[in-house]
Each structure stands twice: as structure tokens, then as C-alpha cells.
Amino acid sequence: MIINVIIFILFISVIAMFFLNTRFKGILTVCTVILIALVTSYISVNSLLFKSTTILLNGPWMIGNVSVKIDSLSAWFILVINFTFVTGALYGFDYMKIYRNRKNEISMHCIAYLMAHSALLGICSVQNGFVFLVLWEIMALSVFILVIFDHDNPNVIKAGINYLIQSHLCIVFLMLGFIYYSIKTGSFNFESITTYSNSQSSLAGTALFFCFFIGFAIKAGFVPFHTWLPYAHPAAPSHVSGIMSGVVIKIGIYGVLRMLLLIKIDYTTVGYFILTISLITGIYGVMLAIIQHNLKKLLAYHSIENIGIIGIGIGIGCIGLGSTNKWMAILGFTGALLHTLNHSLFKSLLFFGAGNVLQLAKTVNVEKLGGLIRKIPNTAILFLVAALAICGLPPLNGFISEFLIYTGLYNWMYSAGLFPQIAIVFALIGLVLIGGLALLCFTKAFSIVFLGNQKTESLNEMKETSKIRLIPMYMIGLFIVLIGLFPAVFINVLQKPVYLFTNDIVFNLDFIRVGAIDSLQTINWMFLGFILMIASIIGIKKTITAKKIKNNLPTWGCGYVYSGNKMQYTANSFVRNYAKIAKPILEIEKEEVDITEVFPTEKNYKTESYDIIEKIIIDKPLRLIERMNNSFLFLHNGHLQRYILYGIIFITAIICVPLIFGKIIDVIQLLKTL
């Protein structure tokens, strides 16, 4: 009944999009998203707190009976998806106002937004491989339409096609996995995966898991399957970038976790594999993020980094299951699931902040920005909160989930042998490196964009964005702070999802004490008190000095009289030392002119970064294919007679080749009888 209601609401909303005025299309989209979110969130909360909800769908429009089950894992992801889509719809309602004259594009955009939301909810709840693939395809096509909204831009189309191709490559691997077990069992139901894997060795189950993992890893953005992500995120409208980074790539994480529950595998082998690829993903993603000049592309690479952090938690959890280390398993999966929520919050907030900058400053090139905190203070403060959270600093939510993952690694030490100890050291170094580089990256991003002086006169007329757009941003910011200050509440909610993975380990656990959550809460409250104390001191100082005469003078230039706007750090200069160190690993092209004069004239300095993995696994094969195709260019010669000859040869081949093969088969059969 509930599913029928959701389908009916979605159907009516989609039909209405073709008849409503452009302004009301946005209102209808927001209302529909909120309504669907309320219904599905109610079921999900019930599943998290009480028991799973199972619905059996059948009828002439279904292929057999299809089970829809919202267990605690599905419920957690559904709640994350709903919150991100609701805040994205509220933000997008105001963000898309400047495009109201593009009626057809707005209609398609709103329909695609609703379809993507519904498909993601369906993916998290359906228990049938065939329907799962159908919903996955709907999700992929809907997000493609959302990405190419600005289809007049060739770069946007290129990014959209790149995303679409790799999305279907992802579907190929998922299809192979589903078809393989369905052939063996005669059913597409998820229970058949468990039935099949239980009847096989753990090696066979592990091989099947890796097939699924590649498919889900492409969607999630694990290295080296990440190459679509840095193009699609910046090309999309900013609220779409927020939901893509917040929940679309997380559906890949959901798929990995779901297969861990369904397939009997060698947890230790899988755990080490996921841990290794996740460390590479996290480090490589943040290394590339630092050298980006496009603010949205910088944030896109940080999505790859955070997928790596989530994967590290999953890897730790799997190794804990393989070694029957209950605390390690609990800490790993708890940290991964909580970081899934945390990343969806602070990354969507960062993309919304970047969207404000884009529409107000008409650019997201950090080299052309500066001093925006005086123009758009609310956006700047919210961006800063999200930046501190993504760096894992207290008293915000990122600190909690990353500390849980750290604690899982430390807990591993107590029972680890020589090889695991080496793995622990590398994992700790990797996590520390990820955190340190993230801090460097967002120090650069925030300081260059929001601090200092503005670099161009075009920013003079900037002013803060509308309150409608700030409301969802403050909603997200509130949750970022609440998770940091009251982590025990959210950790408690994760008991049931984590228990799905650890139910074969018998234990009595006070979940609040896991990873010293009570101590973390105290630390965050102390940090909050310190921040409030500093704010109070600044407030008192301003009050005391309010009546004093203030002289605002330019900074002394050491005798060099020049415009102060350009006498400040650029993004390039800020990370120049890092770029020198990272150059052997990263592809950085530099164009510069040496300064030899005492009073130099205008000089140009430009750097371009390129993803070396993309160059190896995509560009080089494409060039090889292009060279192979070029070797046949002689066929395309412009002579009509030759084209007719090609047709005659083709028709002759169609007729003769089967006859020849038939004769060969007859001869072979005759020889066998002799």
C-alpha cells in the first residue's frame, strides 16, 4: 500500500511538470521530495528502532514475486538520502531561478531529480537483482540528465558522456554478478545469492564479491575507477553536485556493504584488499585536490578522498570479522557508516557554498577570488564549518567518525602478528597523511577565496545570497555540530546496522563506550567552550573599542608601492612547495617566465594538473584505438564506385561465409564417423 502511494505521488508529479508554470515546477519538486522523504523516513526510523519492514510485490507488471525489505542498513542509507535530497531541493529551488526562461530544461531537470531520488530509495530496499538493475539504470540516466543541464557548454556534454559510459561499465559488472548467481539458482532474489555462496567455497564467494565490488567501486569513485567523478561534479549545477557527492556515490558503498552481508567470503582477504585500495584512494584523491584551481573540482577530488576513508573503515571491519576481533569489526563498520552520513553533510554544504560563489562571482577559479568573507559572511562561515568538519577537527562531526576508524586500527594492534602490524603502520600513516593534506587543501581554499583582498573589481557589487538558499545550508550546519556534540545519540542508532555484520559474534556491549565516545563528547564540548571563550573576548574587545577612532590603512609594502590586491598569496604560491614534492607522482604542467628584473614587467605563470591514472587507463587506450581506426582511413576515400564495391563484398560475405562454415562442419562430422 505504501509503495503504491509513493508511485502514485511520483506519477502525478511527473505528469504535472508538463503543464505547470516554471515557478510552480520548483515548488512541486520540493513538496514531492519532502512528501516521499517523510513517508520513507517514517518506515526507516521504525526499522532502525524496532524491526525490519518487508513488503512482497506481485502482479502482472512484475516478473514473479519481488521482495522489498527495509532492514536497518537500508534504513540508515534511506535517511541519509532523504535528508540530502530535501536540502538539495530547497537549495536548488532558489539556485535555479536564473534559469526560469529555459522551461523545457527545467521540466526535465525536475523530473530527473524526482526519479533519481525514488530510484536511490528503491535500490536501498529492493531484494531482487533484476529490479535492482532496472532501478540502477533509472538512477544512472536521471543523474546524467541532471549533470548535463547546461548542455550548451561542450565541456558539460563531455563530462556527462564520460559519466554515462562509465556508469554503464559499472552496470556491466553488476549484471555479470547477478546473471551468474541467477543461472546457478534459477532466481534473481537476494536470498539466492546467500544460498548459492553457502553451497560453494569461500574462494568462489570471494570471486563473486570482487565482480560486484568493481561495479560498485566505479559508482563510489574508488581509485582507479574514479576518473568520471572530477568531471561530472563540477559540470553539474551545485545542488546536483551536492547530492552526487552526498548520496549518489554512497550508493556504491551501500552495494559493497549489502554484498558483504549476502555473500560468504574470506573476510580477511577481502578486508586487506579493501583497506589497500581505500588507502590509495584517500591519499591519491587528496593529493590531486590540493593542486586544483577550480573550487568545485577541488571538492570533487575530496569526495574521492572521503570514499577512501569510508573504505578504510569497511576494510578494518572485514579484517575484524575474519580474525573474530569483535571490537575491531564494530569500530570499523561504525566509523564507516557514520562517516557516510558525515560526508554527505559537510560535502553537500561545501558544494552549496561553492554554488553561491559561482552565481555571485561568476567564477569558481580560486585565483580570481578573494576577500569574499566581507561580501558573503554567512556563506563564508558555513563553508568554514564544513571545511573544519571535513578535516576531522573537533568539535565537529568528522572528528568523531575518523576517530572511530583510528580506534579500530589501534585495537587491531593488540592481537596482530608481524604482517598485520606492518599493515597497521601503513594504514595509520595513510590516515595521518590524508588528514594533514586535507588540512593544507582547505586552508588554501578558504584563505584564498574568502580571506585577503578581492583581486578583481567585478566582485565589488557582490552581496549575500537569499535567505531561502541559506536555510538548508544552516540545517546541514546544525547537524554537523550536533553530531560532534552529541555523538552518543547517533552511535546508538547505528547499533542495529552494525549488528547485521557482527551477529555471529556473541557479546554484551555498551555501545556508548565504544571508542571512548563519552570521552570524545567531552573533548568536543571543551573545544566548543574554547571557541566560545575566544568569541567572547573578541566581542568584549569590539564593545570596548567601538567608540575609538579607527584608521584603516594599507599594509606597509616595505617601500614597494604597488596595488595591495595582488601582493598576496595565490593558490599556486600557497602550495608551491607541496607541488614540487608531489610532482614525480602527479602530472603537473607548468608555464612560467623567470623574473630577473629589479622592477619586473607583467609576467605569466600557469600550472595545469592532470590525473596520471586517467592518462594511463583511458587516454592511452583511446589513442591506441584511434591509431587502429586511422589505419583504415583509406577505405573512406570519397569514391562512390568503391563504396558500392564494399557493399557487394559485404553481401557476398554474408551469403558465402555461413555456407563455407556449414561445409567445414559437415566434413568434420564425416571424419568423426570414419
Side-chain angles (χ1 to χ4, degrees):
M1 179 62 183
I2 294 173
I3 293 178
N4 290 334
V5 170
I6 294 173
I7 294 174
F8 178 75
I9 293 170
L10 183 63
F11 178 76
I12 294 298
S13 299
V14 169
I15 295 300
M17 290 296 174
F18 295 101
F19 301 99
L20 288 175
N21 184 277
T22 306
R23 179 184 300 177
F24 294 107
K25 290 176 183 178
I27 296 173
L28 178 62
T29 303
V30 173
C31 293
T32 304
V33 168
I34 292 174
L35 190 57
I36 293 174
L38 287 173
V39 174
T40 53
S41 296
Y42 172 78
I43 301 171
S44 300
V45 170
N46 183 69
S47 297
L48 275 174
L49 300 180
F50 303 106
K51 62 179 182 179
S52 301
T53 302
T54 303
I55 303 169
L56 192 65
L57 300 179
N58 51 38
W61 53 282
M62 297 300 299
I63 301 176
N65 293 329
V66 176
S67 175
V68 175
K69 182 179 180 181
I70 301 179
D71 60 8
S72 52
L73 179 65
S74 299
W76 178 259
F77 277 87
I78 286 172
L79 290 172
V80 174
I81 289 168
N82 282 337
F83 185 80
T84 306
F85 263 86
V86 168
T87 53
L90 291 171
Y91 178 89
F93 175 75
D94 187 75
Y95 184 88
M96 300 298 287
K97 281 183 177 179
I98 61 172
Y99 303 108
R100 280 185 176 173
N101 59 322
R102 301 167 65 173
K103 296 181 180 180
N104 293 331
E105 287 91 338
I106 289 290
S107 298
M108 290 300 298
H109 185 82
C110 293
I111 292 171
Y113 195 89
L114 295 176
M115 296 301 292
H117 182 207
S118 303
L120 286 168
L121 296 177
I123 289 169
C124 289
S125 53
V126 75
Q127 299 290 303
N128 181 281
F130 179 79
V131 180
F132 185 96
L133 287 172
V134 171
L135 291 170
W136 195 276
E137 179 69 10
I138 293 172
M139 178 264 295
L141 292 176
S142 299
V143 173
F144 169 70
I145 294 171
L146 292 173
V147 168
I148 63 166
F149 177 81
D150 191 15
H151 53 82
D152 295 331
N153 187 338
N155 291 328
V156 171
I157 292 295
K158 183 179 177 181
I161 292 173
N162 186 0
Y163 159 79
L164 192 64
I165 292 171
Q166 297 200 47
S167 290
H168 283 82
L169 182 62
C170 153
I171 291 171
V172 168
F173 282 97
L174 298 182
M175 190 181 299
L176 287 174
F178 284 122
I179 289 174
Y180 180 78
Y181 87 81
S182 66
I183 290 174
K184 297 292 185 181
T185 62
S187 172
F188 276 103
N189 288 333
F190 281 2
E191 292 87 350
S192 301
I193 303 179
T194 306
T195 303
Y196 168 72
S197 63
N198 287 338
S199 65
Q200 303 294 317
S201 64
S202 60
L203 181 61
T206 302
L208 178 62
F209 172 81
F210 281 136
C211 181
F212 280 113
F213 180 82
I214 293 173
F216 291 124
I218 294 172
K219 179 59 67 177
F222 281 98
V223 172
F225 312 111
H226 67 286
T227 52
W228 64 271
L229 196 150
Y231 295 99
H233 282 48
S238 294
H239 62 292
V240 175
S241 302
I243 66 164
M244 286 181 70
S245 184
V247 292
V248 171
I249 63 174
K250 302 298 173 37
I251 206 66
I253 297 295
Y254 168 79
V256 171
L257 292 172
R258 179 59 66 190
M259 291 305 148
L260 286 174
L261 291 175
L262 294 174
I263 304 174
K264 186 182 76 172
I265 60 174
D266 181 351
Y267 283 107
T268 303
T269 302
V270 169
Y272 277 111
F273 172 79
I274 294 177
L275 180 62
T276 302
I277 197 172
S278 299
L279 282 168
I280 295 170
T281 298
I283 295 171
Y284 190 72
V286 72
M287 287 181 71
L288 276 168
I290 293 173
I291 57 176
Q292 301 304 316
H293 306 316
N294 183 305
L295 184 58
K296 291 185 72 176
K297 196 168 186 178
L298 178 150
L299 296 178
Y301 274 111
H302 271 288
S303 294
I304 298 170
E305 170 226 331
N306 280 272
I307 286 295
I309 294 173
I310 295 169
I312 291 170
I314 295 173
I316 293 169
C318 288
I319 296 171
L321 292 178
S323 59
T324 63
N325 185 333
K326 64 179 182 182
W327 296 104
M328 183 180 169
I330 292 164
L331 289 165
F333 286 119
T334 305
L337 287 170
L338 185 59
H339 201 73
T340 299
L341 168 64
N342 289 342
H343 179 250
S344 72
L345 293 172
F346 51 64
K347 184 49 67 68
S348 57
L349 181 55
L350 286 167
F351 270 116
F352 293 168
N356 290 351
V357 172
L358 175 60
Q359 284 202 342
L360 297 172
K362 310 303 180 187
T363 182
V364 283
N365 186 339
V366 294
E367 299 290 21
K368 297 180 180 179
L369 300 169
L372 298 190
I373 194 170
R374 292 183 289 273
K375 304 288 185 179
I376 47 175
N378 287 288
T379 299
I381 295 300
L382 288 166
F383 192 95
L384 177 62
V385 168
L388 294 174
I390 199 173
C391 292
L393 298 177
L396 303 172
N397 60 349
F399 172 67
I400 302 296
S401 53
E402 291 190 28
F403 191 86
L404 285 172
I405 295 172
Y406 271 110
T407 309
L409 284 172
Y410 289 129
N411 190 273
W412 187 8
M413 288 182 178
Y414 296 119
S415 59
L418 178 60
F419 177 75
Q421 289 282 2
I422 296 172
I424 292 167
V425 170
F426 277 103
L428 286 172
I429 292 172
L431 268 175
V432 170
L433 192 60
I434 291 169
L437 292 177
L439 192 60
L440 170 64
C441 184
F442 278 98
T443 302
K444 179 199 86 169
F446 183 80
S447 60
I448 301 299
V449 173
F450 293 101
L451 303 181
N453 297 316
Q454 65 184 57
K455 297 183 179 70
T456 59
E457 294 183 0
S458 61
L459 304 179
N460 289 336
E461 303 301 322
M462 277 188 66
K463 60 181 180 179
E464 187 59 86
T465 188
S466 67
K467 293 180 180 178
I468 298 175
R469 205 182 299 187
L470 289 173
I471 289 172
M473 296 178 69
Y474 272 107
M475 287 169 59
I476 298 169
L478 178 63
F479 267 92
I480 289 173
V481 175
L482 287 177
I483 295 173
L485 297 180
F486 304 100
V489 176
F490 296 88
I491 296 296
N492 247 339
V493 173
L494 282 170
Q495 286 189 63
K496 289 188 71 177
V498 172
Y499 185 72
L500 290 176
F501 298 93
T502 60
N503 57 2
D504 57 330
I505 302 173
V506 179
F507 59 90
N508 293 317
L509 176 65
D510 181 1
F511 229 71
I512 303 300
R513 298 287 187 261
V514 172
I517 293 299
D518 49 351
S519 300
L520 293 182
Q521 185 167 310
T522 303
I523 292 170
N524 278 350
W525 276 100
M526 290 176 66
F527 265 90
L528 179 63
F530 178 74
I531 292 170
L532 292 176
M533 182 185 72
I534 297 298
S536 300
I537 293 172
I538 294 173
I540 293 169
K541 177 191 172 185
K542 285 188 175 181
T543 303
I544 294 173
T545 60
K547 296 182 180 180
K548 291 187 177 181
I549 299 173
K550 299 175 184 177
N551 294 322
N552 294 322
L553 301 174
T555 304
W556 181 49
C558 303
Y560 186 78
V561 182
Y562 192 67
S563 171
N565 291 344
K566 292 188 178 181
M567 291 181 63
Q568 55 187 332
Y569 273 105
T570 62
N572 270 326
S573 59
F574 196 97
V575 297
R576 187 180 182 189
N577 291 333
Y578 162 81
K580 287 180 179 179
I581 297 171
K583 191 174 181 179
I585 302 173
L586 306 178
E587 189 86 1
I588 303 174
E589 297 178 0
K590 183 166 62 174
E591 298 177 10
E592 63 178 330
V593 178
D594 292 333
I595 298 175
T596 56
E597 306 95 335
V598 177
F599 295 98
T601 56
E602 183 177 336
K603 302 292 181 182
N604 293 320
Y605 178 86
K606 182 181 179 182
T607 61
E608 290 288 342
S609 62
Y610 197 74
D611 191 337
I612 195 168
I613 292 180
E614 182 181 355
K615 186 175 184 179
I616 294 170
I617 69 173
I618 293 181
D619 290 354
K620 287 188 176 180
L622 285 177
R623 289 195 189 101
L624 179 61
I625 294 170
E626 185 178 1
R627 284 199 297 270
M628 291 174 60
N629 290 337
N630 289 341
S631 63
F632 294 96
L633 283 177
F634 69 92
L635 296 173
H636 184 65
N637 46 51
H639 296 290
L640 180 61
Q641 296 89 341
R642 293 187 182 182
Y643 293 158
I644 295 171
L645 178 61
Y646 299 156
I648 294 171
I649 294 171
F650 178 72
I651 294 170
T652 304
I654 289 176
I655 296 170
C656 294
V657 169
L659 294 174
I660 294 170
F661 273 103
K663 293 296 182 181
I664 293 172
I665 292 170
D666 291 340
V667 171
I668 293 172
Q669 289 177 347
L670 180 61
L671 291 173
K672 285 182 178 179
T673 57
L674 295 176

